[in-house]
């Protein structure tokens, strides 16, 4: 064991030694390999350095040879470029001396049909002018090209004028009517485009205008533009007016044949038509004002109509007027056409002006657009405003003659102007204050004269004289009543307009109408629609109140109190029925809640007053002074005479009343039947009772002399009251 333990460490040491010796040998071999490679690398490096040194030497030699040649070539190239530029400049300069000659033919022939080529020539001339001005201002060539440039500019201006003149045509009336009409049945309206100039011509005009502004330093073309377009705008409106007259005269339909199938007879907001009865109302009121107030003509000769058929009555009155005045209705139709034409022309002006402004934006420089547009529309606008002023003046003269129908002419025009005012103002935005104020001034004038007519009409109703020969002999409706109601009925279609008329004159104080705090303001424009309605309601109540007072005064002209009662009954009943039929009652009740019941009370009072006229007949049938006797007892002469007198008084009174009242009139069938029926009941019952009391009394040898009428006969006689044909 001891020997083995000493042998193991010795073997490990030997193995370790051999391993180290092997590694040392490998390292020596690696070192030897590296040394060999380093020696080879040094040799290669020395060879590369030798090559590069040789290459550098050769490059230096090449550079020293080429640089002088390059510099010489560059100098020669520069000289060549200078020569070329000099020659080019010479050619360019020489060309300026030939510009006048080269452009002579084109300038002389003008720009028509060759605008692009012409403008190119003008550009050449302009450059020549600039060259001579900068380089040789004393040369004669400068004057030549200047003259040529001015000539070219003149021809461009002439071409601008010629194109506008040749292609600017009035817009056809049918196209204008299509543009201003609105079809309520169509949810999406087809906008009608007004094309004033062909597209190619418009582009030439825009091109010329742009050149004149930028290079021509000329603004005269703007005056030419507004003068030509202004003339066409005015001619378009005049053409529409003439077309309107001709079409209305021939067919009564001043509209485009192409669109009649989709356009209503009554245009909407754009071009509202007046109510069909307005001219009839004017005829009636004119007859009343000229013959009623002036006292040159007697009472109404119109046949009372049962049930007060108002429209038929209006027609009969109009027909009567036409016969009396020899075609006056024809003149009124002409006036109707003029008024409707004016309303259409207002809408046409707005549409055409908007179209003109759109065209102007493409041609006129921005900072001149508003001024040019202002000048362009002046002639047409002034003509419209002058026509409106003439309407106001005519209305003023008519009112001075107490012809209050003139206000009915103003109503549709004023309503249309106010409805279109916002669009009108928008169209004139940016124009001078004097231009913007023309329409408001006209509206104010119409409102003022309209309010004056309304007030004077109310006063005329109050102050109409009580002329005996002007009173209806049959106690029917007075002409004053029918005309007053007819006038008020026209206000239904123009409630807002009439209310604004009154409000514009601050008449609220006159009528003592309290202002709502939300409506209080010093200007008429602050009055709300509701206040205007109350104001108009109060005005109507005022007219009706004046009418009632006047009728009461007129009724006193009749000597017969019963006829006076029939007269008041007919008029009150006519007023009530007219109010109810025309819906005026709704407007009246805005401020007078009991209007309807008050009129019914008045009617009832007059019926009672009329019935009192029969007291002188029925009093003979009463038991007053009737002798008291026993059956079979012989009457004394005095008692027999009393009975005879009662029969005679009844017979005479009945005959007299029936004869007189048969010629009176109660046009309303319902009222006529009611009065007859109630009167028959009263008289018949009293007469039957009287006959029964006298049945067994022998008061005369000739009873048929006194007992002339049977009760049935008396009823028949009363049934014929108020019947002139009986």
């Amino acid at each position: 064991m001891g020997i083995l333990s000493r042998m193991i460490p010795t073997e490990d040491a030997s193995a370790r030694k051999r391993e180290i010796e092997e590694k040392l040998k490998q390292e020596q071999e690696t070192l030897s390999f590296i040394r060999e490679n380093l020696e080879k690398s040094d040799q290669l490096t020395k060879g590369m350095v030798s090559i590069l040194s040789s290459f550098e030497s050769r490059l230096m030699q090449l550079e020293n040879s080429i640089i002088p040649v390059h510099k010489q070539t560059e100098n020669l190239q520069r000289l060549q470029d200078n020569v070329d530029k000099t020659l080019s400049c010479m050619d360019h300069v020489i060309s300026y001396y030939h510009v006048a000659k080269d452009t002579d033919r084109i300038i002389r022939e003008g720009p028509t049909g060759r605008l692009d080529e012409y403008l190119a020539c003008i550009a050449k001339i302009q450059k020549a002018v600039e060259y001579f001005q900068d380089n040789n201002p004393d040369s004669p060539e400068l004057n030549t090209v200047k003259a040529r440039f001015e000539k070219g500019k003149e021809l461009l201006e002439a071409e601008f004028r010629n194109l506008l003149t040749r292609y600017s045509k009035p817009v056809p009336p049918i196209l204008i009517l299509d543009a201003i009409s609105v079809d309520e049945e169509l949810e999406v309206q087809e906008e009608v485009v007004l094309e004033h100039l062909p597209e190619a011509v418009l582009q030439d005009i825009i091109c010329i205008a742009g050149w004149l502004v930028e290079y021509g330093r000329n603004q005269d073309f703007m005056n030419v533009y507004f003068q030509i377009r202004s003339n066409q705008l005015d001619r378009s409106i005049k053409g529409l007016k003439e077309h309107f007259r001709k079409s209305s005269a021939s067919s009564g339909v001043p509209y485009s044949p192409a669109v009649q199938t989709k356009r209503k007879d009554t245009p909407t907001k754009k071009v509202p038509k007046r109510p069909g009865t307005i001219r009839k109302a004017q005829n009636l009121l004119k007859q009343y004002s000229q013959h009623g107030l002036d006292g040159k003509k007697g009472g109404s000769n119109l046949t009372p109509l049962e049930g007060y058929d108002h429209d038929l009555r209006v027609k009969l009155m109009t027909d009567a007027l036409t016969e009396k005045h020899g075609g006056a209705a024809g003149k009124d139709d002409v006036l109707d056409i003029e008024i409707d034409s004016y309303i259409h022309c207002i809408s046409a002006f707005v549409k055409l002006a908007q179209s003109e402004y759109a065209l102007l934006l493409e041609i006129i420089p921005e900072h001149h657009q508003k001024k040019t547009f202002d000048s362009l529309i002046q002639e047409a606008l002034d003509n419209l405003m002058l026509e409106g002023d003439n309407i106001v003046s005519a209305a003023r003269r008519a009112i001075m003659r107490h012809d209050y129908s003139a206000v009915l002419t103003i109503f549709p025009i004023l309503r249309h102007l106010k409805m279109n005012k916002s669009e009108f103002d928008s169209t004139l935005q940016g124009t001078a204050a004097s231009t913007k104020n023309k329409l408001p001034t006209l509206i104010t004038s119409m409102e003022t004269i309209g309010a004056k007519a309304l007030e004077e009409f109310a006063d005329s109703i109050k102050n109409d004289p009580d002329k005996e020969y002007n009173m209806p002999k049959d106690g029917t409706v007075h002409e004053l009543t029918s005309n007053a109601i007819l006038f008020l009925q026209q206000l239904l279609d123009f409630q807002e307009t009439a209310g604004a008329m009154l409000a514009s004159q601050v008449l609220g104080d006159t009528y003592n109408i309290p202002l709502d705090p939300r409506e209080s303001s010093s200007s008429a424009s602050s009055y709300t629609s509701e206040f205007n309605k109350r104001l108009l309601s109060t005005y109507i109540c005022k007219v009706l109140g004046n009418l009632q007072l006047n009728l009461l005064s007129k009724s006193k002209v009749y000597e017969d109190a019963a006829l006076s009662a029939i007269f008041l009954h007919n008029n009150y009943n006519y007023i009530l029925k007219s109010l109810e039929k025309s819906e005026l009652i709704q407007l009246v009740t805005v401020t007078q809640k009991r209007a309807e019941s008050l009129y019914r009370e008045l009617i009832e009072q007059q019926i009672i007053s009329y019935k009192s006229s029969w007291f002188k007949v029925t009093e003979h049938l009463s038991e007053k002074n009737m002798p008291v006797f026993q059956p079979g007892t012989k009457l004394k002469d005095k008692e027999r005479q009393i009975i005879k007198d009662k029969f005679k008084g009844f017979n005479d009174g009945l005959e007299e009343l029936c004869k007189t009242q048969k010629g009176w009139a109660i046009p309303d069938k319902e009222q006529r039947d009611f009065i007859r029926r109630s009167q028959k009941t009263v008289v018949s019952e009293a007469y039957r009772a009287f006959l029964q009391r006298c049945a067994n009394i022998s008061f005369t040898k000739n009873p048929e002399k006194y007992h002339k009428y049977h009760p049935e006969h008396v009823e028949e006689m009363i049934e014929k009251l108020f019947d002139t044909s009986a």
Side-chain angles (χ1 to χ4, degrees), residues 273-285:
K273 296 285 285 182
R274 292 190 296 156
T277 60
I278 192 167
R279 176 53 53 194
K280 297 178 182 179
Q282 287 180 291
N283 285 338
L284 297 175
L285 293 169

Side-chain angles (χ1 to χ4, degrees), residues 539-583:
Y539 170 78
I540 293 175
C541 290
K542 176 183 177 181
V543 173
L544 293 176
N546 290 348
L547 178 60
Q548 182 179 339
L549 291 174
N550 198 306
L551 290 173
L552 189 60
S553 176
K554 289 182 184 300
S555 68
K556 297 176 182 178
V557 172
Y558 294 111
E559 296 180 357
D560 193 326
L563 180 56
S564 177
I566 290 296
F567 170 76
L568 291 176
H569 165 273
N570 284 333
N571 282 271
Y572 293 154
N573 189 60
Y574 177 83
I575 293 171
L576 177 60
K577 291 294 181 67
S578 298
L579 293 179
E580 292 175 336
K581 184 176 181 180
S582 64
E583 298 181 356

Side-chain angles (χ1 to χ4, degrees), residues 132-239:
F132 288 119
Q133 284 178 337
D134 295 338
N135 298 281
N136 194 2
D138 297 328
S139 64
E141 285 80 5
L142 176 60
N143 295 331
T144 301
V145 291
K146 271 189 174 181
R148 188 60 50 83
F149 181 79
E150 291 300 324
K151 179 65 175 176
K153 185 170 73 172
E154 290 176 4
L155 291 176
L156 274 177
E157 293 172 353
E159 179 69 3
F160 183 86
R161 179 189 292 273
N162 291 338
L163 287 175
L164 271 178
T165 303
R166 187 181 312 126
Y167 293 99
S168 290
K169 305 295 181 184
V171 180
I174 292 177
L175 189 59
I176 297 176
L177 288 170
D178 289 344
I180 64 178
S181 66
V182 175
D183 192 341
E184 293 178 336
E185 296 179 354
L186 297 179
E187 294 182 1
V188 180
Q189 300 295 329
E190 297 180 6
E191 184 176 357
V192 178
V193 179
L194 302 178
E195 186 176 300
H196 298 285
L197 297 169
E199 183 61 27
V201 174
L202 175 60
Q203 293 305 318
D204 285 351
I205 290 176
I206 293 173
C207 187
I208 295 174
W211 188 93
L212 290 174
V213 171
E214 185 174 358
Y215 302 108
R217 305 293 189 271
N218 187 312
Q219 297 182 2
D220 292 341
F221 78 94
M222 299 180 199
N223 296 330
V224 172
Y225 178 84
F226 90 71
Q227 289 170 0
I228 294 175
R229 295 307 308 168
S230 175
N231 182 49
Q232 297 307 322
L233 174 61
D234 190 54
R235 288 178 60 192
S236 296
I237 295 177
K238 289 179 178 177

Side-chain angles (χ1 to χ4, degrees), residues 44 104 254 281 717:
L44 290 173
D104 179 67
M717 294 174 67

Side-chain angles (χ1 to χ4, degrees), residues 620-621 626 643 646-647 686-694:
H620 297 290
L621 305 178
M626 193 73 174
I643 296 176
K646 282 183 175 290
F647 269 105
Y687 189 49
R688 289 178 189 276
F690 176 75
L691 291 179
Q692 188 174 3
R693 287 196 299 271
C694 299

Side-chain angles (χ1 to χ4, degrees), residues 562-621:
L563 180 56
S564 177
I566 290 296
F567 170 76
L568 291 176
H569 165 273
N570 284 333
N571 282 271
Y572 293 154
N573 189 60
Y574 177 83
I575 293 171
L576 177 60
K577 291 294 181 67
S578 298
L579 293 179
E580 292 175 336
K581 184 176 181 180
S582 64
E583 298 181 356
L584 266 174
I585 193 66
Q586 284 86 346
L587 192 55
V588 170
T589 53
V590 170
T591 54
Q592 179 55 267
K593 303 298 183 183
R594 294 190 63 249
E596 190 171 0
S597 61
L598 288 174
Y599 273 109
R600 294 193 186 282
E601 290 173 6
L602 290 173
I603 293 170
E604 183 61 29
Q605 289 173 7
Q606 299 310 316
I607 292 177
I608 294 173
S609 297
Y610 162 74
K611 288 182 177 180
S612 64
S613 67
W614 283 83
F615 289 166
K616 63 182 179 181
V617 175
T618 57
E619 68 178 353
H620 297 290
L621 305 178

